[in-house]
Amino acid sequence: MTSFLEPILAPFIGMMLTTIVIILIKVAIVIGITLLHVAYATYWERKIIGFMQFRLGPREVGWFGLLQPIADGVKLFFKEDIIPATADKPIFYLAPVIFFVSALTSLSVLPFFDGFAVADINIGLLFLLAMSSLGAYGIVMAGWSSGSKYSFLGGLRAASQVISYEIAMGLSLVGVMIMAGSLNLTEIVKAQANYPTGFYAIPQVLGFFVFFVAMFAETNRLPFDLPEAESELVAGYFTEYSGFRFAMFFLGEYTGMLIMSAIGTLCFLGGWTLPKFFMDLLPFLSQLPPIVWVVVFLGKVYFFMFMYYWVRATLPRYRYDQLMNIGWKVLIPLALVNIIFTGTLKIMGWF
Amino acid sequence: MVLMKKNSLIKIMFFTEILKGMALTFRTLFKPAVTRRYPKVKVPAQPGYRGLHALAKDNTGRMKCVGCGLCGAYCPSQCIHIYTTEGEDHNKVVDRYEVDVARCIFCGFCVEACPFGAITLSEQYDYANYSKDAFYMNKEKLLANWDTYFEGEKGNQYFKKFWRPLTEDFKGNPEQAMFSKIPRKEKR
């Protein structure tokens, strides 16, 4: 998309700088759009959960409450930044930064449509998993450095939860890697587009299910929001944070949700593509401009985001031992079965 | 037994309970909300609601209150203060009639006690204010409340609908112990 800039800029500032400028423009676009999505993800969450509970959700700020996220943001930025006296200050400062940065860094490898990714690297999927586990460090450090028992318990819970669910999530994605034969997200999407069903969720039902459940646990969302269980731990690991530091955790959490939705879309629902049989049926679709495929991609992401809200509005929180049971005794064996199953079929040449 | 076990296994495997719950929340998504947007849309009070006080006026626009002081005597929280003086032709003149609304418990005993149907409780329920003085009602404010909240037929109907109108019916309940029922001799 930004390649048209190359012939314009290159004669003036050289090839090297042009590449950097183009990358910076891409980064600005991706971060800008994502943060806008994060802001309105909170709005839609409150709206949808409100309607599911016979309420109206935000109504007062702007038309239908559409300016509510902006009002919330302004409020957070101008709040007093309180640091507890017992806090371990350097770590306390560092924790939200790690959490937020690791969430934002994950964005760099996501292809939003064909050929648009900040860094289209060959180990994209692995990079995403690495970044999401790096985010757990932010949570653990926040819990440890706050000097509060609630934060500490929240941090401990987050650590064990994220680590155990990361295994299930990684294993559930192995099936996709085997089928696509690549870790590059663009390659995975292209492999899906050429697959008869058009997306991997159909042959990879088990993997999709495991991913779907692990997705909730990984982003600390209901029904697995034990690290920030309001009724038990005040707010869990970010109890002692306020103002902009709290906003960084908040933004990081919602960015994490968007990234998990994007991973689910790219690996299981065919990313920005539509199934091949559908494309053959309506051949004019392939002539459409790339903006249409961004919309297709975002539509699938919104589906996942809606599932987050829907599940949150429906299910109560799991008990901690139940959470661990599901993770270790159900999801990991299921994911392993899925790998063996997929691998066998691959060797036999069915996939 | 085996069949039951099979059923429960299917229930566990396919999360039927969770899916039922999800279906319920999804259906609820399209149902109208029960929210009342209060300051913008006010809910009318139920008839007979005991809200802000008002002093009734008769058809000629004069205050019905004669300053007998029964309401003040009956008031459990003692928030009614009446000051009277002797008028020109030896009648009672109500100089001040004050209700400390902040102390009132809205029991409605004053309305019951009043033999002339002079003190009323309107259906007005939102009169929040920043100053305490706004809750100290004097005679002028109370009479103005009557004009605001009991305009026209509403004021005429108020006692007949919700209170036994003592102005029309002084007879007590036959079961009730009353001085008039007691024979003269015993009374001595």
Side-chain angles (χ1 to χ4, degrees):
Chain A
M1 193 177 94
T2 43
S3 56
F4 71 92
L5 278 171
E6 250 170 61
I8 305 170
L9 284 173
F12 297 104
I13 52 176
M15 205 58 213
M16 179 84 174
L17 269 177
T18 311
T19 319
I20 292 170
V21 166
I22 285 171
I23 286 176
L24 285 179
I25 290 170
K26 276 184 176 177
V27 168
I29 290 172
V30 167
I31 288 184
I33 289 176
T34 310
L35 289 186
L36 203 71
H37 269 85
V38 166
Y40 280 89
T42 63
Y43 171 78
W44 283 113
E45 170 162 35
R46 292 168 65 179
K47 263 302 196 213
I48 289 170
I49 291 179
F51 276 110
M52 282 179 172
Q53 295 168 348
F54 289 119
R55 295 183 289 112
L56 287 172
R59 265 309 288 239
E60 299 305 325
V61 190
W63 194 66
F64 282 107
L66 273 169
L67 296 178
Q68 186 68 47
I70 294 157
D72 287 346
V74 170
K75 184 204 82 174
L76 278 176
F77 286 126
F78 288 104
K79 260 185 125 173
E80 188 188 355
D81 182 23
I82 300 166
I83 294 153
T86 50
D88 187 346
K89 293 203 175 51
I91 301 179
F92 190 82
Y93 294 148
L94 199 60
V97 178
I98 291 180
F99 188 72
F100 188 48
V101 165
S102 65
L104 281 188
T105 313
S106 312
L107 289 171
S108 61
V109 294
L110 295 178
F112 295 96
F113 59 91
D114 199 4
F116 186 87
V118 177
D120 196 8
I121 56 176
N122 284 332
I123 51 159
L125 203 48
L126 204 62
F127 182 82
L128 283 174
L129 290 175
M131 278 302 144
S132 69
S133 14
L134 199 62
Y137 278 93
I139 295 176
V140 176
M141 283 163 73
W144 171 257
S145 65
S146 290
S148 145
K149 54 179 171 279
Y150 296 121
S151 303
F152 184 59
L153 283 171
L156 285 183
R157 283 182 177 192
S160 50
Q161 173 178 329
V162 170
I163 289 166
S164 43
Y165 274 80
E166 206 131 78
I167 301 168
M169 170 168 277
L171 291 177
S172 72
L173 290 169
V174 169
V176 173
M177 298 172 200
I178 293 172
M179 282 184 75
S182 171
L183 277 168
N184 184 322
L185 289 162
T186 314
E187 296 294 319
I188 290 174
V189 172
K190 280 179 180 164
Q192 284 179 78
N194 294 324
Y195 193 74
T197 56
F199 42 83
Y200 282 166
I202 292 298
Q204 292 284 329
V205 180
L206 268 181
F208 186 54
F209 170 73
V210 173
F211 175 84
F212 196 76
V213 178
M215 182 174 91
F216 289 96
E218 187 76 9
T219 46
N220 301 328
R221 296 285 300 178
L222 270 161
F224 305 118
D225 71 335
L226 286 134
E228 49 193 86
E230 290 92 355
S231 45
E232 305 159 31
L233 299 179
V234 190
Y237 56 87
F238 53 68
T239 307
E240 303 297 336
Y241 283 87
S242 61
F244 188 56
R245 287 179 219 285
F246 167 75
M248 277 165 104
F249 273 117
F250 196 71
L251 292 176
E253 190 186 320
Y254 278 83
T255 315
M257 279 164 68
L258 281 168
I259 287 162
M260 282 299 152
S261 307
I263 299 174
T265 307
L266 291 168
C267 292
F268 290 103
L269 293 189
W272 63 85
T273 59
L274 290 172
K276 198 162 184 289
F277 62 85
F278 194 71
M279 295 292 279
D280 290 340
L281 211 66
L282 304 165
F284 69 91
L285 281 174
S286 53
Q287 308 298 320
L288 292 172
I291 188 79
V292 175
W293 307 118
V294 179
V295 171
V296 169
F297 176 77
L298 286 179
K300 288 172 182 177
V301 170
Y302 295 161
F303 164 74
F304 274 99
M305 293 302 281
F306 180 73
M307 292 305 293
Y308 267 116
Y309 307 152
W310 190 6
V311 168
R312 186 186 161 186
T314 310
L315 295 184
R317 188 180 301 125
Y318 273 88
R319 216 169 53 214
Y320 201 70
D321 58 327
Q322 290 173 332
L323 171 92
M324 283 297 161
N325 274 349
I326 294 170
W328 290 94
K329 292 185 185 167
V330 180
L331 293 187
I332 292 177
L334 273 182
L336 287 171
V337 166
N338 183 45
I339 292 173
I340 295 166
F341 187 68
T342 315
T344 317
L345 289 182
K346 179 86 174 176
I347 291 167
M348 285 159 72
W350 284 25
F351 281 157
Chain B
M1 196 62 203
V2 177
L3 196 74
M4 266 184 72
K5 265 189 180 170
K6 228 183 226 172
N7 274 340
S8 63
L9 193 70
I10 287 170
K11 268 187 184 172
I12 293 169
M13 273 181 72
F14 292 101
F15 304 103
T16 44
E17 306 289 321
I18 289 179
L19 290 178
K20 265 187 212 168
M22 302 272 280
L24 180 75
T25 40
F26 195 73
R27 262 179 278 132
T28 316
L29 183 62
F30 300 103
K31 282 179 185 168
V34 292
T35 310
R36 284 165 170 169
R37 304 183 63 203
Y38 161 62
K40 289 183 179 171
V41 183
K42 277 182 187 162
V43 184
Q46 292 293 310
Y49 181 83
R50 300 200 291 263
L52 191 62
H53 310 66
L55 270 180
K57 289 177 178 175
D58 60 14
N59 290 334
T60 57
R62 281 184 62 233
M63 184 168 75
K64 278 186 184 172
C65 179
V66 296
C68 66
L70 279 177
C71 48
Y74 212 20
C75 180
S77 54
Q78 300 183 1
C79 64
I80 304 177
H81 310 290
I82 306 166
Y83 301 91
T84 53
T85 48
E86 193 177 337
E88 280 169 16
D89 41 353
H90 306 297
N91 59 343
K92 244 182 186 176
V93 176
V94 184
D95 291 329
R96 287 159 68 199
Y97 187 104
E98 292 166 354
V99 181
D100 191 354
V101 177
R103 287 183 62 102
C104 178
I105 59 168
F106 300 96
C107 58
F109 283 178
C110 50
V111 187
E112 251 178 77
C114 185
F116 294 96
I119 180 81
T120 57
L121 292 171
S122 68
E123 289 169 8
Q124 180 68 9
Y125 58 86
D126 51 346
Y127 41 90
N129 205 297
Y130 286 111
S131 77
K132 255 186 184 174
D133 294 338
F135 296 114
Y136 201 83
M137 294 282 171
N138 56 22
K139 201 172 90 179
E140 286 70 36
K141 276 191 199 168
L142 288 166
L143 286 169
N145 282 349
W146 175 266
D147 293 334
T148 326
Y149 306 124
F150 287 106
E151 220 185 346
E153 195 56 25
K154 201 177 175 187
N156 294 335
Q157 292 296 317
Y158 177 74
F159 282 97
K160 284 178 188 158
K161 266 186 182 166
F162 308 117
W163 305 93
R164 209 162 130 253
L166 290 179
T167 36
E168 295 168 12
D169 171 24
F170 276 105
K171 272 178 207 157
N173 185 349
E175 303 289 313
Q176 198 178 335
M178 286 178 88
F179 291 120
S180 58
K181 278 188 205 163
I182 304 166
R184 220 157 240 254
K185 264 185 191 172
E186 277 182 50
K187 204 178 179 182
R188 286 246 161 171

